[in-house]
Amino acid sequence: MKISVIMPCYNCQSSVARTVQSIQAQTFEDWELIAVDDGSLDETGKLLDMLALQDRRISVIHQANGGVSRARNAGMAAAQGEWLAFVDADDCPMPEMMETLLSLNTGKEDILCAAHRMHHLDEEGREEKIVCADGGRQTVLESLIRGDSALNTMWDKLYRADFVREKGLLVPPDIRIGEDVLFNLEAFFAAKAWKMTDIPLYVYECGGNSAMTAAFSDVYAKSKPMLYGITCFIQKYGLETELFRAHIDIYLRILRKDRGRFRAALAFNREIVRRVTGGVDVSRLCVKQKVYALALRMLPCLSYFLP
């Protein structure tokens, strides 16, 4: 088995058949689909069982509701493939996704990445292309923390299964918003090599009843577990100085989205400053970043003037 596709499912009876069809339409055919019914209250579980009877490559795991992270971890534990792929039950990978990603593999890569298209359901079908931030480890980690590229998500990538198991990589089970970011931070930090393409190979449906749509309200409060996880990752590997500016940027980005620039500056308090400047060797920062660090330590609300 070459690719194991893991699909967490919760109350998605109206969309899951279409997503399964997009897997069955892949130009690469050596795959298994592991659908994890995460305690759905509608007919999702029955529909998945029916689809599994029609295609031997599909298997279904039924479990009590525990969130998307636990569902993905259950799928990973059951996977038999050489590569792991992830798909959401209301999205559609392009027919050539698996084949194109595998073509990037030279035998050295642990992660293969694609761009994706974001389809805004509540904006008259507007689409935007989100590409990867290609580069070295520093560039990748900064982009993951800032959330400014296609690197954050798990569903437009292939992960070498042996690598995931060897490094003990799991999706953080108690994080409901930003769990992809924390998984990918650990994955890219541990990976020996990766390869990326700017070809969009996945269509993400943004809007409707998706988890990310719900997260757009009160976004800072809902993002706190992810932000704490980012801080823990940075501290775990002693990256406080290298990732200092990106660490500031993700707090500013989320606070400003949630509250606007002025109120975000007031909310950028000493607790946040301790997180983003703690352990930072100011002497190793460039001049501009030294000014940022010292200004924030003196008066956190000066974050208002940071670009």
Side-chain angles (χ1 to χ4, degrees):
M1 187 71 61
K2 194 70 174 180
I3 297 177
S4 295
V5 183
I6 297 158
M7 180 175 65
C9 304
Y10 179 71
N11 291 353
C12 53
Q13 65 179 27
S14 64
S15 63
V16 69
R18 177 173 59 91
T19 300
V20 170
Q21 288 170 1
S22 73
I23 301 297
Q24 293 170 318
Q26 291 293 304
T27 56
F28 181 84
E29 297 182 352
D30 187 13
W31 52 263
E32 64 171 349
L33 173 61
I34 303 171
V36 184
D37 174 26
D38 190 39
S40 295
L41 302 176
D42 61 4
E43 298 298 308
T44 295
K46 292 180 181 179
L47 179 56
L48 290 172
D49 289 338
M50 183 184 69
L51 292 169
L53 288 174
Q54 297 171 357
D55 191 331
R56 61 179 177 78
R57 296 172 295 179
I58 301 173
S59 60
V60 184
I61 297 172
H62 297 280
Q63 64 180 32
N65 180 252
V68 65
S69 296
R70 286 185 171 85
R72 284 173 173 165
N73 289 337
M76 284 195 286
Q80 300 296 313
E82 297 175 33
W83 293 89
L84 303 177
F86 298 86
V87 63
D88 284 354
D90 55 354
D91 296 337
C92 288
M94 304 297 288
E96 66 276 14
M97 185 183 81
M98 294 185 197
E99 183 177 7
T100 302
L101 283 174
L102 281 176
S103 72
L104 302 176
N105 177 39
T106 67
K108 300 177 182 178
E109 292 79 18
D110 293 318
I111 310 173
L112 308 171
C113 316
H116 64 261
R117 292 195 182 279
M118 185 172 289
H119 181 206
H120 296 268
L121 298 175
D122 52 357
E123 297 180 28
E124 299 180 351
R126 180 176 66 88
E127 286 194 356
E128 58 180 316
K129 178 181 175 182
I130 312 295
V131 300
C132 302
D134 202 353
R137 202 175 307 273
Q138 176 81 13
T139 298
V140 166
L141 294 179
E142 286 180 352
S143 179
L144 280 166
I145 290 172
R146 290 189 175 110
D148 59 4
S149 77
L151 294 183
N152 296 66
T153 60
M154 295 176 66
W155 33 248
D156 48 6
K157 298 171 179 62
L158 293 180
Y159 303 85
R160 192 181 298 277
D162 286 345
F163 157 73
V164 170
R165 296 188 182 100
E166 176 191 341
K167 300 301 180 181
L169 298 177
L170 292 171
V171 189
D174 297 319
I175 308 292
R176 290 184 176 266
I177 301 298
E179 75 286 344
D180 305 52
V181 177
L182 302 180
F183 180 88
N184 282 330
L185 280 170
E186 292 284 354
F188 278 98
F189 186 79
K192 296 187 297 294
W194 52 79
K195 190 166 286 188
M196 306 180 185
T197 176
D198 282 344
I199 301 172
L201 297 176
Y202 191 98
V203 179
Y204 173 63
E205 303 287 359
C206 181
N209 296 317
S210 72
M212 287 308 300
T213 301
F216 289 156
S217 60
D218 200 13
V219 63
Y220 177 66
K222 293 176 180 176
S223 298
K224 277 186 175 182
M226 177 196 72
L227 292 170
Y228 179 70
I230 288 173
T231 298
C232 289
F233 168 82
I234 289 171
Q235 293 174 346
K236 177 181 177 181
Y237 296 110
L239 300 171
E240 293 93 339
T241 304
E242 289 81 354
L243 298 177
F244 166 65
R245 182 60 208 264
H247 204 181
I248 293 175
D249 286 348
I250 187 58
Y251 272 96
L252 287 177
R253 179 177 180 176
I254 291 176
L255 279 168
R256 287 172 178 174
K257 182 176 183 178
D258 192 47
R259 307 180 185 192
R261 194 180 188 95
F262 178 73
R263 291 179 60 215
L266 297 178
F268 201 97
N269 55 33
R270 294 199 178 277
E271 177 188 353
I272 296 175
V273 170
R274 281 193 295 270
R275 287 191 181 188
V276 300
T277 67
V280 173
D281 183 351
V282 177
S283 67
R284 291 172 50 202
L285 298 175
C286 67
V287 173
K288 186 180 290 186
Q289 291 188 16
K290 284 180 183 177
V291 172
Y292 293 165
L294 296 173
L296 290 175
R297 286 175 177 176
M298 287 189 298
L299 196 59
C301 66
L302 290 176
S303 64
Y304 177 88
F305 297 100
L306 268 62

